[in-house]
């Protein structure tokens, strides 16, 4: 088998839905208006037990009040509160050119 055939075969067997259980929405809850629609801020991916990864700009504005945030796994419909946010040490919310 040539390397081109190997690449073609691996693409045909790739099923992105196999990762669906590992994907979550980061949702902002409006405590003052519980009847209002929730706002999806971004996505997160399971990185291990009780650990998810997302982009820093999604969660950085909520470092002072994480009670506004929730995780929802669309595949199962399960929701969980966010208990802690840790930004990467080199995260820079205001990069300078």
């Amino acid at each position: 088998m040539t390397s081109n055939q190997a690449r073609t075969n691996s693409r045909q067997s790739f099923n992105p839905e196999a990762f669906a259980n590992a994907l979550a929405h980061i949702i902002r809850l409006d405590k003052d208006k519980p009847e209002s629609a929730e706002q999806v801020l971004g996505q997160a991916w399971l990185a291990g037990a009780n650990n998810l990864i997302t982009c820093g700009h999604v969660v950085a504005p909520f470092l002072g009040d994480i009670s506004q945030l929730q995780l929802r796994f669309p595949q199962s419909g399960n929701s969980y509160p966010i208990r802690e946010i840790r930004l990467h040490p080199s995260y820079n919310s205001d990069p300078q050119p």
Side-chain angles (χ1 to χ4, degrees):
M1 178 180 330
T2 68
S3 62
N4 191 37
Q5 288 172 323
R7 277 195 299 269
T8 302
N9 290 341
S10 67
R11 273 187 261 156
Q12 290 172 347
S13 64
F14 176 70
N15 178 4
E17 291 190 24
F19 300 100
N21 289 331
L23 302 176
H25 294 253
I26 297 177
I27 297 172
R28 179 181 184 195
L29 304 172
D30 190 344
K31 293 178 181 180
D32 298 327
K33 300 177 187 173
E35 71 284 349
S36 67
E38 300 165 341
Q39 180 183 8
V40 175
L41 301 174
Q43 305 300 308
W45 301 265
L46 280 173
N50 297 314
N51 287 294
L52 290 101
I53 295 174
T54 191
C55 297
H57 70 271
V58 172
V59 293
F62 301 94
L63 288 171
D65 184 11
I66 61 173
S67 68
Q68 297 179 56
L69 299 179
Q70 186 179 74
L71 289 169
R72 178 162 304 130
F73 289 86
Q75 186 73 11
S76 67
N78 293 337
S79 296
Y80 303 94
I82 294 177
R83 294 185 292 222
E84 179 183 16
I85 295 173
R86 287 184 278 159
L87 295 175
H88 190 277
S90 59
Y91 173 74
N92 184 356
S93 62
D94 188 25
Q96 299 298 316

